[in-house]
Every structure is written in structure tokens, then in C-alpha cells.
Amino acid sequence: MIVMKFGGTSVEDAPAIERVCEIVRSRAAEDPVVVVSAMARVTDQLLAAGQAAAAGDRDLALESARSLRQRHHRTASEMLSGNHLAQLRPLLDSNFNQLEELLGRIAGAQELSPRNSDHLLSFGELLSSEMVSAAIAARGLACEQVDARECLMTDGSHTRAVPLFDATKARLEARLRPLLARHAIAVMGGFIGATLDGTPTTIGRGGSDYSASIVGGALDAARIEIWTDVPGMLTTDPKLCPEAELIPEISFEEAAELASFGAKVLHPATLLPAIEKNIPVYVLNSRDAAGAGTCIRAHVERNGRPVRAIAAKRNTTIVNVAGERAWIPRGFLRDVLAVFDRHECQVDIVSSSQVSISLAVESGSATPELLADLQRFTQVICEPRQAIVGVVGENLRGRQGIAASVFGSVAAAGVNVRMISQGASEINIAFVIHDEDVPAAVRSLHKDLFSGAQADEDQSWMPSPGMSRAGMNCL
Ligand code: ADP
Ligand code: ASP
Ligand code: MG
């Protein structure tokens, strides 16, 4: 079997869903399980409706729900007719009735709790999976919508629930194996799951990619395909730099680093189940099904370029913490990190001196409670509106002078660097800059590393036998 995941833009309207059907049909002999995101922008609109309801604007919330209902029905009638349409309509309406009821309850409570937020957002994927399943069935293929809340089991940490892998595998085996045995195509929503007692959860924004690889890992898929709106993984985000080029193949390690540095094309956790089972992951363009896309797998040929790709993680805050004296007492670093840990705040980059520590974190996780807890240290200063830029490539290992090239390029763009880190993996160089400087820095880096003299094929830097990695690692 294979897993095929289609993102929001790939199911955004009737022509998009028709393309999905054709792509699925072309793979039907390989027993696909299809995982879909909500139609483009629906998750944001559901969230906005929930926030409006919580703020007391019940009318605005219900108006949003009505417009979503219309969009789904319009799309359904553009792609289906007769019995197929007649069977889908009540399924959509039943979901929208529940959605409106929930918005009413949120308005009554005047609060959008994480638990209600997950319940609310789950409708996006429930609706799109009903639509795509109906569209595939209308083409004469055996197909069934599967409720992801019955299969993807998670803990109860709402809005970023953690999958329970054993329970999920057992549920997926029980629900999907019989379908696969009779060559029926399962269509399930990504991103959503449920606790063991059936409360809906979500696994974090952009999480449908992760759902797909969880399914692929659990059922030992031959491959996992991530169908999206770009030709594959590119050398950087084409929205930042139109010159970005397709990467034909990339290693698990490199792709995972890029995802963790903000390459939105893959949710950061996507590759974990694939790595564990050594399942290749393909990133493909649903608007150009014949395109080669990107193959992500364990080992790939090195090319002569120093860098495989550049990513940027926006929405970052630097938290600077200073100790009591000009000399850090023993345990200072440990005590500061313990506070971040207690508040479940993931630290992306740390740099420390003898008198202070700077930590780059996702802006939303630098909560007032965390900052209040840090006040016991002498000084806490936050710098919002920052971004982490990650330069990634296996060839960075031991490449002399690459840091000079990277920071020279950033300096030439007139951009100031606030923090620097070279990961223990040695396949990335990461640094923090002002968010507004991201486009200039990325374009300059892309020009210098992919089309400048640095980009030339050059193997002369390759390590000589006997040289230790640490010794080669020359910043
Ligand atoms: P989907 O809805 O299919 O999940 P996303 O919007 O989540 O799609 O991810 C695709 C987007 O990721 C692209 O439109 C592109 O702007 C962005 N992106 C960021 N970095 C990269 C990269 N290195 N390669 C390709 N796309 C990237
Ligand atoms: N629909 C969800 C989101 O917008 C999940 C996804 O698209 O992967 O975050
Ligand atoms: Mg996505």
C-alpha cells in the first residue's frame, strides 16, 4: 500500500478535487490510503469563527459557518450530480449543524478553550474527507471515508496532541486492513485525531503531513506521497525567492532539518515515522502530476554544492535572561532551561555567555506565565519579530570557509545577525535575524550559494582520510 496526502490548496475547489481523483486513480493498483487537509483557508476561518463566538459576536461566527456551508455545497454540486450528490449533501449538513451548535456553545461560554478549539477545527478535515471520498467514489472506484478520530489516537494535549503510536497502529490495522484487502480506497482527514475516550484533538497546524506519515509508518507503506502546490522541495521557499530550484533528492536528515527550520512544505515531525521504517517520502505537485518532484530517503548522492537548501522560521522571539552577578553561578543555565521546560516551551536555539543566555523560541510559546516565572533571574528582555534562518546540507560537514560565505552574504544584504548556532549534526548553520530582514537575507544567500562562485562544483574540500569531523569543522 501507499499513502497519498493532499494539502489544502490541492482540495481547494472542484477542479482541484477532480485533479486529486485523477491522481488517485493513476495509483489505484497500489492500494492507496488518501489523507486530506481541510479545503484551503478553512482551518483559519473556523478558528476566526470560534474567536468571534468567544468574543461575543455570535452573528459573525454563524455568518462564517454559513459561508463555509455554501462553499462546500457549491463545490459538491460543481463536481457531483445525481445520487452521488444526494448522498453527500446530508453528510455535509450534519457536520455543519454540529458546527453551528458548537459555535453557539462557545458563544455561551464566552471562551474558546483548547478542547473546543480542537473540536471546532476538526470539522475542516471531516468535511473535506467526505467531499474527496464522494468524488473518488463517483468515478467508479471503491472508496470509503474513514473518520480519523477513530484511528489516530493521541494524548489530551489539545491543539498539539501527541500521537499514541501503539493504539493508533492497532486502530489503523483494524479499520484500514479490511478495506485494503478488498482494494477499497480509504479517505481520511489529516491533522485530527481523538483521545482514547473519543474527545477530538489536533496534532498541530500543518499536521496533515504528519498524519500521513503516521499512517504510512503504522501500515508499512511502500512510500508516502505529499501532494502540494509547489513542484517539490525547493532550494528555498519560492514565496521568498522566486529563483528557488527543485531538489530532485534529499536525505531524511537534511529534509528534517529544513522542516524544523520552517520549510512549511513539510510539518517538522513528518519524517520521524518514515525514518523509523525507512519509507521513502515524495513531495509532488498536484497541479503537475507528471512532474518528478522530490524524493526524500535515507541516503542520496552528494552533489557538488555546499548547501542543499535554505529555510526561514518566522514568528520567533529572543528571550534574553541575565543572572544576578557578572559571573553566572553554577546551575544558572540548568535553572533557566528548567523554567522553559516546565512551561513546555521548546527552545530552538540557545547561545550563552558568562553573564547571560539568549534563547530563540516560537513567539506564541513565550507566554506571560513563562516570562513571569523567569523574573526571579535579574533581567529578562524579550525581542519579538525575529526569525531563524537555517542553511542546510550534508556537504556543510567539514566545509572550510562556508560560515564566512554565509555571513558575508548576509552582511552584504545589510542584515544584522543577532544569534548564531551550528548544530551538533554539523549539517546546518542557523542564525537569528529581524523578521523584516528575512527576504533580503534569503535572496542574497540563495544568489551566492546557488548561483555564485560558491555554487560551483567543487570536491576539493572533501575530507581527507583520517581527519576527524570535529577537526574539519572550521567556522
Ligand atoms: P499544503 O497545503 O499542501 O500542506 P503548505 O502551504 O503547508 O501546503 O506547504 C507548501 C508551501 O511551503 C509552498 O507553497 C511554499 O511556499 C512553502 N515552502 C517553504 N519552504 C519550501 C521549500 N523549501 N520548498 C518548497 N516549498 C516551500
Ligand atoms: N488544515 C490544517 C491546517 O491548516 C492541517 C493541514 O493543513 O495540514 O493547519
Ligand atoms: Mg502543509
Side-chain angles (χ1 to χ4, degrees):
M1 59 87 59
I2 61 170
V3 178
M4 306 176 74
K5 177 262 171 177
F6 295 90
T9 44
S10 301
V11 294
E12 67 185 345
D13 53 21
I17 296 178
E18 274 154 18
R19 281 195 295 272
V20 167
C21 293
E22 274 317 304
I23 296 169
V24 172
R25 188 211 290 276
S26 72
R27 312 288 212 253
E30 294 182 89
D31 290 331
V33 169
V34 175
V35 175
V36 291
S37 294
M39 294 172 80
R41 300 177 304 284
V42 167
T43 307
D44 288 336
Q45 286 162 6
L46 287 169
L47 195 55
Q51 284 160 347
D57 201 339
R58 182 191 293 249
D59 290 346
L60 179 62
L62 292 178
E63 182 46 43
S64 307
R66 263 192 297 278
S67 98
L68 284 172
R69 193 191 285 253
Q70 277 168 9
R71 177 176 168 197
H72 283 77
H73 275 291
R74 196 177 54 243
T75 305
S77 56
E78 282 167 11
M79 60 184 195
L80 296 173
S81 58
N83 266 352
H84 294 290
L85 183 59
Q87 279 166 13
L88 177 61
R89 283 205 188 286
L91 296 173
L92 298 181
D93 279 330
S94 152
N95 275 297
F96 278 111
N97 295 345
Q98 292 172 48
L99 168 65
E100 289 181 5
E101 203 184 301
L102 175 63
L103 286 171
R105 286 206 304 278
I106 292 168
Q110 296 188 331
E111 190 208 353
L112 180 59
S113 64
R115 181 184 165 116
N116 275 340
S117 174
D118 276 357
H119 188 183
L120 181 69
L121 298 197
S122 68
F123 286 104
E125 270 70 11
L126 290 173
L127 287 158
S128 63
S129 55
E130 293 286 12
M131 308 255 299
V132 171
S133 165
I136 294 174
R139 287 170 187 245
L141 294 167
C143 181
E144 209 172 286
Q145 193 257 13
V146 168
D147 187 339
R149 296 169 304 179
E150 290 166 14
C151 300
L152 205 150
M153 299 293 108
T154 72
D155 71 1
S157 22
H158 287 285
T159 75
R160 46 182 178 148
V162 179
L164 305 173
F165 289 96
D166 291 345
T168 298
K169 182 176 167 56
R171 298 283 190 110
L172 285 167
E173 288 282 357
R175 183 71 180 88
L176 298 188
R177 281 287 177 216
L179 292 183
L180 289 167
R182 58 181 170 90
H183 305 294
I185 298 166
V187 180
M188 57 189 276
F191 173 56
I192 62 175
T195 57
L196 290 172
D197 67 6
T199 308
T201 53
T202 63
I203 58 172
R205 292 301 305 268
S208 297
D209 303 326
Y210 189 25
S211 298
S213 68
I214 292 169
V215 174
L219 299 182
D220 292 304
R223 65 176 187 279
I224 296 162
E225 297 181 345
I226 306 289
W227 291 85
T228 185
D229 60 356
V230 283
M233 276 196 108
L234 307 179
T235 46
T236 193
D237 185 347
K239 292 188 181 105
L240 283 175
C241 178
E243 290 78 32
E245 296 165 27
L246 178 67
I247 304 171
E249 39 179 34
I250 183 169
S251 70
F252 280 139
E253 213 185 335
E254 289 172 317
E257 293 269 358
L258 284 168
S260 73
F261 284 128
K264 193 184 165 218
V265 64
L266 283 185
H267 179 278
T270 309
L271 295 174
L272 299 175
I275 292 171
E276 201 189 331
K277 292 281 181 78
N278 198 15
I279 301 171
V281 177
Y282 291 79
V283 180
L284 298 153
N285 187 352
S286 65
R287 288 177 178 274
D288 175 22
T294 299
C295 172
I296 309 172
R297 55 191 158 85
H299 300 291
V300 302
E301 287 293 308
R302 285 188 172 200
N303 62 14
R305 281 177 164 170
V307 167
R308 189 81 73 181
I310 305 161
K313 187 168 178 182
R314 319 294 288 258
N315 206 18
T316 293
T317 290
I318 300 179
V319 183
N320 298 294
V321 185
E324 218 160 81
R325 296 183 294 274
W327 177 258
I328 295 183
R330 275 171 75 108
F332 174 69
L333 198 61
R334 181 199 57 210
D335 293 348
V336 171
L337 289 175
V339 176
F340 282 79
D341 195 39
R342 216 168 26 251
H343 289 268
E344 293 178 5
C345 176
Q346 187 193 309
V347 177
D348 290 328
I349 290 184
V350 189
S351 80
S352 66
S353 71
Q354 284 196 335
V355 290
S356 68
I357 306 175
S358 298
L359 306 102
V361 302
E362 207 176 288
S363 295
S365 61
T367 57
E369 294 77 21
L370 166 78
L371 299 176
D373 220 357
L374 286 171
Q375 291 302 330
R376 80 167 97 131
F377 304 103
T378 305
Q379 205 182 41
V380 180
I381 299 171
C382 275
E383 298 175 54
R385 292 183 293 284
Q386 308 291 316
I388 301 173
V389 175
V391 174
V392 173
E394 305 261 11
N395 284 350
L396 288 178
R397 284 194 174 114
R399 171 124 192 171
Q400 291 193 8
I402 187 66
S405 311
V406 166
F407 294 113
S409 177
V410 175
V415 172
N416 183 40
V417 174
R418 277 287 291 105
M419 286 170 72
I420 297 176
S421 137
Q422 186 178 31
S425 69
E426 293 182 41
I427 69 162
N428 75 67
I429 295 175
F431 52 93
V432 182
I433 59 177
H434 239 285
D435 187 75
E436 66 200 26
D437 290 332
V438 166
V442 169
R443 275 183 215 135
S444 178
L445 280 168
H446 197 273
K447 181 162 73 59
D448 291 339
L449 297 173
F450 290 96
S451 39
Q454 279 292 326
D456 290 347
E457 297 271 327
D458 170 16
Q459 302 293 320
S460 60
W461 52 272
M462 291 288 275
S464 56
M467 203 183 223
S468 81
R469 270 192 188 160
M472 297 182 320
N473 196 11
C474 175
L475 269 179

